[in-house]
Amino acid sequence: MLRKIRITLATLFFVGITALFLDFTGVLPTYFGWMAKVQFVPALLAVNIAIVAGLLLLTLIFGRVYCSTICPMGVMQDIVSWIAGKKNKRRFTYSKGKTTLRTTMLILFAVALVANVAWLASIIEPYSAYGRIVNNLFAPLYAWGNNLLAYFAERADSYLFYTTDVWLKSAGTLAVAATTFVVIFILAWRNGRTWCNTICPVGTLLGFVARYSLFKPTIDTSKCSGCNLCARGCKASCIDSKSKEIDYSRCVACMNCLETCKKGAMGYRYAGFGKATKKQAETSPGNNGRREFLSAGAMVTAGSLLAQANKKVDGGLAIIEDKKIPERATPIVPVGAGTLKHFTTHCTACQLCVSKCPNNVLRPSSSIERFMQPEMSFERGFCRTACTACADVCPNGAIKPIVPEQKSSTKIGTAVWIADNCIANKDGVTCNNCERHCPNGAIKMIRKKDADRNTPRIPMIDAERCLGCGACEYVCPARPFSAIFVEGIEEHRTI
């Protein structure tokens, strides 16, 4: 029963978080957004003390149920391992923990965070690594499938589906995501939870706490026959059937051993703080564990999954293709970040905001200093003042929650005019696109020569009124670079 409860909860979290990254309509954040915010590292960076304390308390009571139930990367490994074990379910063997390697990876992770190199730490951070895998590998397949359904639906005079763009946002981020997926897939296929118990810093940290958990899987030596079935079915390779001991720092409380044991020697029991003794394992009742585990399940699944949400499909101008990204001295980060430093310090490059941006403005950076962290560019759209999608979904606190009224008065950059690229100078005609589409009235068209009424008009930018939304850069018809582009600022300010 405990194993079935764990699998049910793990399925809910895995499907919910995966759907959150795949959804391009903007509906699911209302339902599943809380699942991203209860991930350990995002909650830590967001300084969400209640969630961090809750996860630590959950581990201290029930062991590493976070790794087996809440973490999507952990559940993905279980799925891969389950598929690999269809022919041989009892294929694992006990191995000693790689303590030195685990500690080293945790220290490197902590140093990267303290040194304000969050993107480097995010490479091995489980939630962010999984987010990049979904956003870069699974999401294109999902979008192509949706577009195929839209193609056939349109020919049946149905508009149940609509097409969406599928494009490469960053070759570097795709390479990192693909490499991470291949490595974890191979490790999970061969040895189950190797990544969790050798590389993952969250697993190492929670493993230390889990050593002292109140409830643990324990071995009743009076019933154990030494058949080794529990160790052969343990994907964490943490059960030493010879000495009848369990390494609780690596045990993820998956409950597989309880089902595998044919003698009833394995049980999930109250063991008290510290290492479970053989006497405790033999005398402690097993019913309390089931009741307490059900309570934990109720706690971690708190939140409403039933609500109404409208399908959000932004309209807008036709997309102008074949534009190139200009070189910006300062990158543009979303409203809610506050400062470039705050954003780069807290962002773990999970790509959730990239996947949820309805205007295709956010994409992973290719620069070394901010590798894989989102930045704004306006070749495929511009940042609409009424849209707060990125701030709504960010679980790390890199983009703080905002309202449209706040966004419409926050300056994140300044438009810059490049005279040599403007068609008023190149072709001798007045375009007027940038003026007509500036939402803040920061651009006015003036005559190139005041005395000559036949000369074309050119844009004049009021830097104090410009928000940096990128509407002017997006609608500019100049090729391959826009005649007007937005330069970012280090610190956002209200105008």
Side-chain angles (χ1 to χ4, degrees), residues 24 35 39 67 144 150 167 172 288 313 318 354 381 470-471 487:
F24 53 82
M35 291 186 176
Q39 301 300 314
C67 299
W144 282 326
W167 53 290
N288 287 338
V313 183
V354 175
E487 185 63 72

Side-chain angles (χ1 to χ4, degrees), residues 109-424:
F109 177 80
V111 169
L113 289 182
V114 173
N116 294 333
V117 192
W119 69 264
L120 183 60
S122 73
I123 293 179
I124 59 173
E125 194 274 305
Y127 163 76
S128 299
Y130 180 75
R132 288 190 296 272
I133 289 173
V134 176
N135 191 47
N136 290 275
L137 303 181
F138 301 161
L141 299 177
Y142 178 79
W144 282 326
N146 169 82
N147 291 350
L148 182 62
L149 292 175
Y151 174 83
F152 288 111
E154 183 180 353
R155 276 144 187 79
D157 294 328
S158 171
Y159 294 94
L160 182 62
F161 300 93
Y162 65 92
T163 59
T164 183
D165 288 338
V166 183
W167 53 290
L168 179 62
K169 296 181 177 69
S170 170
T173 303
L174 174 62
V176 171
T179 301
T180 304
F181 177 73
V182 170
V183 170
I184 292 179
F185 185 92
I186 293 174
L187 291 176
W189 187 272
R190 297 181 60 184
N191 300 304
R193 288 276 185 153
T194 301
W195 173 275
C196 287
N197 288 328
T198 55
I199 304 297
C200 179
V202 178
T204 300
L205 177 61
L206 295 183
F208 175 79
V209 178
R211 292 173 184 267
Y212 308 97
S213 62
L214 291 176
F215 291 88
K216 301 180 176 75
T218 55
I219 303 174
D220 186 341
T221 55
S222 63
K223 296 180 180 180
C224 179
S225 63
C227 65
N228 203 36
L229 286 178
C230 55
R232 292 173 60 190
C234 178
K235 57 196 172 188
S237 300
C238 65
I239 301 177
D240 186 353
S241 56
K242 292 183 179 180
S243 62
K244 295 180 174 54
E245 293 182 347
I246 300 174
D247 182 353
Y248 293 110
S249 70
R250 290 186 290 153
C251 176
V252 294
C254 67
M255 310 302 172
N256 283 2
C257 55
L258 274 67
E259 184 177 273
T260 303
C261 182
K262 305 301 182 183
K263 302 296 183 179
M266 297 297 303
Y268 185 71
R269 306 178 177 93
Y270 175 80
F273 290 113
K275 184 177 178 179
T277 64
K278 294 178 182 180
K279 182 177 180 181
Q280 288 173 323
E282 293 170 7
T283 59
S284 298
N287 291 334
N288 287 338
R290 179 177 300 180
R291 183 166 56 252
E292 295 295 336
F293 194 87
L294 284 169
S295 300
M299 183 176 72
V300 300
T301 56
S304 173
L305 298 180
L306 301 175
Q308 291 292 328
N310 294 324
K311 187 176 182 181
K312 298 178 182 178
V313 183
D314 277 347
L317 304 173
I319 295 177
I320 302 174
E321 301 291 346
D322 302 323
K323 278 196 173 184
K324 292 185 178 180
I325 301 175
E327 293 186 8
R328 308 181 203 272
T330 303
I332 313 168
V333 293
V335 179
T339 65
L340 179 60
K341 181 179 180 181
H342 171 85
F343 183 79
T344 55
T345 300
H346 290 77
C347 177
T348 60
C350 73
Q351 313 288 300
L352 183 56
C353 61
V354 175
S355 67
K356 305 310 295 182
C357 179
N359 304 309
N360 291 321
V361 169
L362 292 172
R363 64 201 63 185
S365 173
S366 57
S367 69
I368 297 177
E369 299 86 357
R370 300 173 302 277
F371 185 55
M372 299 188 300
Q373 291 184 334
E375 61 184 21
M376 302 174 72
S377 198
F378 308 108
E379 290 69 49
R380 290 177 171 265
F382 66 95
C383 192
R384 303 174 189 274
T385 54
C387 175
T388 60
C390 57
D392 293 340
V393 301
C394 179
N396 304 315
I399 311 174
K400 296 180 180 179
I402 56 172
V403 295
E405 293 78 11
Q406 181 182 358
K407 183 177 180 181
S408 63
S409 61
T410 302
K411 182 180 182 64
I412 62 175
T414 302
V416 179
W417 179 58
I418 308 299
D420 292 340
N421 292 348
C422 187
I423 64 172

